[in-house]
Amino acid sequence: MAFGFLRGIAEKFHGRPVDWDELEALLLQSDLGVKTTLRLLEELRASTGFSAKADAVERLAREEITKLLPPSLPPLLPLPGRPQVILMVGVNGTGKTTSLAKLAAMLRRDGFSSVLAAGDTFRAAAVEQLVAWGDKLKIPVVRGAEQSDPAAVCHNAYDEAVRQKADFLLCDTAGRLHTKHNLMQELAKIKRVLGRRDADSPHEIFIVLDATTGSNALEQARQFKETAGLTGAILTKLDGSGRGGIVVALQQELEVPVRFIGTGEGEKDFSRFDPRTFAAEML
Ligand SMILES: Nc1nc2c(ncn2[C@@H]2O[C@H](COP(=O)(O)OP(=O)(O)O)[C@@H](O)[C@H]2O)c(=O)[nH]1
Ligand SMILES: [Mg+2]
């Protein structure tokens, strides 16, 4: 079970009154975002008084933060007569390929089929990694040659998904190219090509963020939102990190709702984001 920052704070003040300066410093490190932290401190101070006990502060903070989390959104359901297209974006190493495989496995547990597109053609190892997941899960992967055009791979994968009457097409993308400009151009091209096959696609664009990178993750989301557009986020590496505060900052500052969370490297270490469970287990 992950160890959240609120529990850490409560332990820190165990057996002594809460020191508000210390609490402010701790909350500022919690990835909630400065605006939210300061507002939360005001509320805590106003309602718990000066000699507040740690557990009262923890309880109240959890209540207040829960109100700032993204809502629980309906599960992904197939579209009638065409594949639902999901694009995974984000910088290198955040967990895109792994999360894509985990999502395909979850969709299958729900009874839905997928085709995977190996759209990170920048490195051969990235394609091999997705193919290995596909073999393990017995889910088809469409690939191109190393350095081939990822938009062409996604295009072919779309046709394959249609041919197989798959419910979902999940497209992996590169997180690193020679320049950020190249990367954003490439994502734009993938979106354009998919949009020609189905004007509403990609239906979802999920940024994959590593929870342990805190404010960097927020900055990545800001940039990808501006240039690629985002419908949600997948927050990975929440296992043991205690860094769940970023969920609040993403929602409050960027209106990017976290949709799924990753809590390990295994196929099942992946869940739908649910605000109540999250508040109880990750804060
Ligand atoms: N502990 C942990 N590791 C993860 C999680 N998600 C991904 N990883 C690991 O992070 C590393 C990078 O993942 P990968 O999917 O290759 O990232 P990508 O470069 O964005 O495609 C791999 O070693 C994954 O096993 C998670 O939720 N928890
Ligand atoms: Mg990858």
Side-chain angles (χ1 to χ4, degrees):
M1 188 61 54
F3 187 77
F5 64 94
L6 285 179
R7 220 155 288 153
I9 286 173
E11 282 194 1
K12 181 134 187 141
F13 293 112
H14 187 70
R16 61 182 172 116
V18 169
D19 178 311
W20 290 98
D21 290 336
E22 254 183 273
L23 180 63
E24 177 170 339
L26 289 169
L27 282 175
L28 283 172
Q29 290 162 22
S30 68
D31 305 335
L32 290 170
V34 177
K35 237 178 8 198
T36 302
T37 299
L38 297 180
R39 210 172 52 218
L40 180 66
L41 268 172
E42 287 294 305
E43 279 168 38
L44 291 175
R45 225 187 301 235
S47 39
T48 60
F50 271 95
S51 56
K53 291 256 176 39
D55 54 351
V57 169
E58 182 194 349
R59 190 165 0 99
L60 191 63
R62 196 180 301 278
E63 264 169 38
E64 291 302 317
I65 293 174
T66 305
K67 293 181 199 158
L68 305 174
L69 293 172
S72 101
L73 293 166
L76 294 170
L77 293 174
L79 302 169
R82 58 196 169 137
Q84 174 162 184
V85 182
I86 300 176
L87 203 58
M88 296 284 184
V89 302
V91 308
N92 218 34
T94 54
K96 283 181 300 301
T97 304
T98 310
S99 299
L100 183 145
K102 289 168 167 180
L103 178 58
M106 173 185 269
L107 288 168
R108 193 178 39 207
R109 290 196 295 277
D110 291 343
F112 307 132
S113 59
S114 299
V115 165
L116 313 182
D120 181 357
T121 59
F122 190 62
R123 293 174 307 135
V127 175
E128 296 310 327
Q129 186 191 0
L130 190 66
V131 167
W133 270 109
D135 287 347
K136 182 169 174 218
L137 299 171
K138 304 208 167 24
I139 294 178
V141 177
V142 174
R143 62 187 292 178
E146 190 182 354
Q147 305 291 329
S148 64
D149 181 2
V153 174
C154 292
H155 179 273
N156 292 344
Y158 188 95
D159 288 345
E160 184 60 19
V162 169
R163 204 180 60 76
Q164 297 200 13
K165 296 191 169 57
D167 298 312
F168 289 89
L169 170 63
L170 309 184
C171 302
D172 199 11
T173 64
R176 186 188 48 183
L177 283 184
H178 305 291
T179 68
K180 198 169 74 194
H181 179 70
N182 281 354
L183 176 58
M184 295 305 169
Q185 297 270 78
E186 179 172 297
L187 291 177
K189 186 172 178 195
I190 293 173
K191 283 173 64 180
R192 228 170 26 242
V193 163
L194 289 167
R196 280 206 288 269
R197 307 293 278 108
D198 171 354
D200 299 327
S201 84
H203 304 92
E204 305 279 2
I205 304 178
F206 292 152
I207 186 166
V208 180
L209 299 167
D210 175 342
T212 65
T213 63
S215 55
N216 266 336
L218 187 66
E219 196 42 43
Q220 289 158 21
R222 198 186 304 280
Q223 291 187 6
F224 276 88
K225 186 186 172 186
E226 271 170 25
T227 48
L230 296 174
T231 62
I234 297 178
L235 193 62
T236 64
K237 310 189 194 183
L238 273 165
D239 35 319
S241 79
R243 301 293 293 271
I246 184 73
V247 176
V248 174
L250 285 166
Q251 180 67 28
Q252 297 300 314
E253 296 190 20
L254 300 180
E255 291 174 62
V256 172
V258 171
R259 305 284 299 269
F260 298 92
I261 59 172
T263 50
E265 299 190 79
E267 167 189 337
K268 290 192 176 158
D269 300 324
F270 192 75
S271 347
R272 274 186 201 96
F273 178 82
D274 171 67
R276 251 177 280 178
T277 314
F278 187 83
E281 294 179 3
M282 298 286 174
L283 293 182

